[in-house]
Amino acid sequence: MPDLLHIVYLVAITAEAMTGAMSAGRRQMDLFGVCFVATVTALGGGSVRDVLLGHYPLSWVAHPEYLWYTAAAALVTTLIARALRYLRLVFLMVDALGLVAFTLIGCDVALRLGHAPTIVVVAGVITGVCGGILRDIFCGDIPLVFRRELYASVSALVGVAYVALQASPLAHGAQVVICLIGGFLLRAAAIRFDWKVPRFVYHDDGGH
Amino acid sequence: MPDLLHIVYLVAITAEAMTGAMSAGRRQMDLFGVCFVATVTALGGGSVRDVLLGHYPLSWVAHPEYLWYTAAAALVTTLIARALRYLRLVFLMVDALGLVAFTLIGCDVALRLGHAPTIVVVAGVITGVCGGILRDIFCGDIPLVFRRELYASVSALVGVAYVALQASPLAHGAQVVICLIGGFLLRAAAIRFDWKVPRFVYHDDGGH
Amino acid sequence: MPDLLHIVYLVAITAEAMTGAMSAGRRQMDLFGVCFVATVTALGGGSVRDVLLGHYPLSWVAHPEYLWYTAAAALVTTLIARALRYLRLVFLMVDALGLVAFTLIGCDVALRLGHAPTIVVVAGVITGVCGGILRDIFCGDIPLVFRRELYASVSALVGVAYVALQASPLAHGAQVVICLIGGFLLRAAAIRFDWKVPRFVYHDDGGH
């Protein structure tokens, strides 16, 4: 993992842990649950990816300090939650960077394992969105990532671009920076202009 | 996997993906969520089995084209959903075949790994029903497989019959055909005559 | 696993299976669902731990008889559910012992794999609480372990104490007995005096 991506990763797991802590707080969980949900939100996407690809050890098993970061971020969140409301925009921006960074890291893992391009993109998307999906399931919500502005789609597009860039003569660092900036701008534009993927609305007369 | 079973498998993951897409549509998910839930419904049972047995690579990692089939089936579903209501019976029949095919494939994986008969049957049932369970959890529903006519039970009975047939002199293909037909008829009869496993209804005065 | 811990383990998976069966009964699941939820409750924590650590085969794959115990415990529960209400205290006590035993077994697995102390404690907590979390998710509830008296915290404290005791000259059996008794008393006191971990209550003006 290049240094830039690693720094973005650490910022991103902190930010994701904070969104997890806030979700747990909405459900009035105790502090243990807050730390648990925060950690699952931050590290769950990469864990799902690694389990599905059989890629051991998982990142937090190899780097237990990540668990301390996310637990600390969760506890800090409970102290400064009131102030965080005024930082909503900062959060959205860090979350956008994190989504792209998680995606690229997931793609890198699958690339190193020699998987086909489809699997590389899927590994990126799983890393990007599964933490948030697990957060929502643990909190009893229907996963949000499938119902708001471009989110999983940004992850998929970043993954496709990154795979395509592998064939280019650009250095790895340049590929990462291009994807980080492009993905971030796409997500920011989606939030600003409320771009959404069309919904599929299906009603039936009960039954299945 | 014999050719017949493989063809049934491909038909079955397509049908399961379509039921997943319809569930996602009931929850008004966006098209990305529809493809995600469809894919998890179709391929989730086998993935859970493989992760629990440590059987890598997962089938869709080795065959990324399966992901394209299920995503395509999901998108087609969004276009023809209105028409699908008139095909409810066809769906139930394909789903029944799929349930049996998934079960046999799951049993085969565990047999090849040399597991005990109990684990072979359990691997079959997991393959048969876990996709639907994951679909329901992602859509915020209590899993349906535990509340409708014989379904998981058909999977278990097929698994037991298949394990028993291993001791017979019949060729593998004949064993598969017997189980496919027998399991299909059992499931069809359960739907037709509304056979259900008894429920356990428990009330307490709150608390746990 | 020393003999004492193994006996406590067998008692504990039986008791956990019974709590799972009762949860399934509250949701009026059929008998198949009751056995499924019971088994996941009893064996799910260890399975999550083993999958995350890449520790194969899972305990119930190596010992399929565990599946029969939990299914039998579930079916017995449906027969004697009415009587179980008068045994609520017995249940809480067995559940407390089970929580501690699961934690110690989880720590032992991670210790044998040579993991860092943080991972050892986390492996213990996952083993202790994830079965109950899965039970609640399958039954459509928000996980209870994060909302009641000290529970996950007891597991964590037991794990920390057990790791600390590894540095002591005490025999393994003595370490286990100390943790079992201490953890049990702590949990019993938490129930008796209604000790809870503080909650984090967060409200926002909708959105995320």
Side-chain angles (χ1 to χ4, degrees):
Chain A
M1 207 186 300
D3 283 351
L4 171 65
L5 205 47
H6 190 63
I7 291 166
V8 175
Y9 176 76
L10 293 179
V11 174
I13 61 174
T14 306
E16 293 303 316
M18 294 174 96
T19 72
M22 285 187 284
S23 278
R26 281 186 202 103
R27 296 307 184 146
Q28 310 189 10
M29 291 191 189
D30 65 33
L31 292 184
F32 202 99
V34 170
C35 290
F36 181 92
V37 173
T39 301
V40 167
T41 307
L43 303 175
S47 300
V48 170
R49 175 203 66 221
D50 286 343
V51 165
L52 292 176
L53 297 181
H55 177 246
Y56 291 99
L58 273 55
S59 62
W60 54 269
V61 175
H63 300 279
E65 66 272 20
Y66 293 173
L67 299 170
W68 292 103
Y69 297 163
T70 56
L75 293 178
V76 168
T77 303
T78 65
L79 297 176
I80 62 169
R82 192 176 291 268
L84 291 176
R85 281 177 222 188
Y86 302 101
L87 295 173
R88 192 166 173 275
L89 196 63
V90 175
F91 251 97
L92 278 172
M93 295 301 105
V94 174
D95 177 69
L97 258 186
L99 173 68
V100 182
F102 279 11
T103 303
L104 296 176
I105 290 166
C107 291
D108 267 342
V109 168
L111 280 170
R112 257 181 284 127
L113 294 171
H115 286 299
T118 299
I119 301 303
V120 172
V121 174
V122 167
V125 173
I126 287 172
T127 314
V129 308
C130 278
I133 291 174
L134 289 172
R135 174 195 63 211
D136 294 342
I137 288 176
F138 281 116
C139 292
D141 299 321
I142 293 182
L144 190 64
V145 306
F146 301 140
R147 317 223 285 181
R148 62 177 179 180
E149 328 84 24
L150 297 191
Y151 192 86
S153 320
V154 171
S155 176
L157 289 172
V158 165
V160 169
Y162 190 59
V163 168
L165 283 172
Q166 300 300 307
S168 77
L170 289 171
H172 187 223
Q175 296 173 356
V176 165
V177 169
I178 289 171
C179 288
L180 271 179
I181 294 175
F184 177 81
L185 291 178
L186 179 58
R187 171 82 181 124
I191 295 169
R192 174 66 185 81
F193 300 110
D194 202 26
W195 290 341
K196 297 193 177 185
V197 176
R199 290 185 179 202
F200 171 43
V201 179
Y202 179 68
H203 299 293
D204 53 6
D205 6 336
H208 164 65
Chain B
M1 204 186 302
D3 281 349
L4 171 65
L5 204 47
H6 190 63
I7 292 167
V8 175
Y9 176 75
L10 294 179
V11 174
I13 62 174
T14 307
E16 293 303 316
M18 295 175 97
T19 73
M22 285 187 285
S23 278
R26 281 184 202 104
R27 295 307 184 146
Q28 310 189 9
M29 291 192 189
D30 66 32
L31 293 184
F32 203 99
V34 170
C35 290
F36 181 92
V37 173
T39 301
V40 167
T41 307
L43 303 174
S47 300
V48 170
R49 174 202 66 220
D50 285 343
V51 165
L52 292 176
L53 298 181
H55 176 246
Y56 291 100
L58 273 55
S59 62
W60 54 268
V61 174
H63 299 279
E65 67 272 20
Y66 293 173
L67 300 171
W68 291 104
Y69 297 163
T70 57
L75 293 178
V76 167
T77 303
T78 65
L79 297 176
I80 62 169
R82 192 176 290 268
L84 291 177
R85 281 177 221 187
Y86 303 101
L87 295 173
R88 194 167 171 275
L89 196 63
V90 175
F91 251 96
L92 278 172
M93 295 302 105
V94 175
D95 178 68
L97 259 186
L99 173 68
V100 183
F102 280 10
T103 303
L104 296 175
I105 291 166
C107 290
D108 267 342
V109 168
L111 280 170
R112 256 182 285 127
L113 294 171
H115 286 299
T118 298
I119 301 303
V120 172
V121 175
V122 167
V125 174
I126 287 171
T127 314
V129 307
C130 279
I133 292 174
L134 288 171
R135 174 196 63 210
D136 294 341
I137 289 176
F138 280 115
C139 292
D141 300 319
I142 293 182
L144 191 64
V145 307
F146 302 139
R147 315 224 284 182
R148 62 176 178 178
E149 328 83 22
L150 297 191
Y151 192 86
S153 320
V154 171
S155 177
L157 290 172
V158 166
V160 169
Y162 190 60
V163 168
L165 282 171
Q166 300 300 307
S168 78
L170 289 172
H172 188 222
Q175 296 172 356
V176 165
V177 170
I178 289 172
C179 288
L180 271 179
I181 293 176
F184 177 81
L185 291 177
L186 179 59
R187 172 79 181 124
I191 295 170
R192 174 67 186 79
F193 301 110
D194 203 26
W195 289 341
K196 297 193 177 186
V197 177
R199 290 186 178 203
F200 171 43
V201 179
Y202 179 68
H203 298 293
D204 54 4
D205 7 336
H208 165 65
Chain C
M1 204 187 303
D3 282 349
L4 170 65
L5 204 47
H6 190 63
I7 292 167
V8 175
Y9 176 75
L10 293 180
V11 174
I13 62 173
T14 306
E16 292 304 315
M18 295 174 95
T19 73
M22 286 186 284
S23 278
R26 281 185 203 104
R27 295 308 183 145
Q28 311 188 9
M29 290 191 189
D30 66 32
L31 293 184
F32 202 100
V34 170
C35 290
F36 181 92
V37 173
T39 301
V40 167
T41 306
L43 303 175
S47 300
V48 170
R49 173 203 66 219
D50 285 343
V51 165
L52 292 176
L53 297 182
H55 177 247
Y56 292 99
L58 273 55
S59 62
W60 53 268
V61 174
H63 299 280
E65 66 271 20
Y66 293 173
L67 299 171
W68 292 103
Y69 298 164
T70 57
L75 294 178
V76 168
T77 303
T78 65
L79 297 176
I80 61 170
R82 192 176 290 269
L84 291 177
R85 280 176 224 187
Y86 302 100
L87 296 172
R88 193 166 173 275
L89 195 63
V90 175
F91 251 95
L92 277 172
M93 294 302 104
V94 174
D95 177 69
L97 259 185
L99 172 68
V100 183
F102 280 9
T103 303
L104 296 176
I105 291 166
C107 291
D108 266 343
V109 169
L111 280 170
R112 256 181 285 127
L113 294 171
H115 286 299
T118 299
I119 300 303
V120 172
V121 174
V122 167
V125 173
I126 288 172
T127 313
V129 306
C130 278
I133 292 174
L134 288 172
R135 174 195 62 210
D136 294 342
I137 288 176
F138 280 116
C139 293
D141 299 319
I142 294 182
L144 191 65
V145 308
F146 302 140
R147 317 224 283 182
R148 61 178 178 178
E149 329 84 21
L150 296 192
Y151 192 86
S153 320
V154 170
S155 177
L157 290 172
V158 166
V160 170
Y162 190 59
V163 168
L165 283 171
Q166 300 300 307
S168 77
L170 290 171
H172 187 224
Q175 296 171 358
V176 165
V177 170
I178 289 171
C179 288
L180 271 180
I181 294 175
F184 177 79
L185 291 177
L186 179 59
R187 172 79 182 126
I191 295 170
R192 174 68 186 79
F193 301 110
D194 203 26
W195 290 340
K196 297 194 176 185
V197 176
R199 289 186 178 202
F200 170 44
V201 179
Y202 179 69
H203 298 293
D204 55 4
D205 6 338
H208 165 68

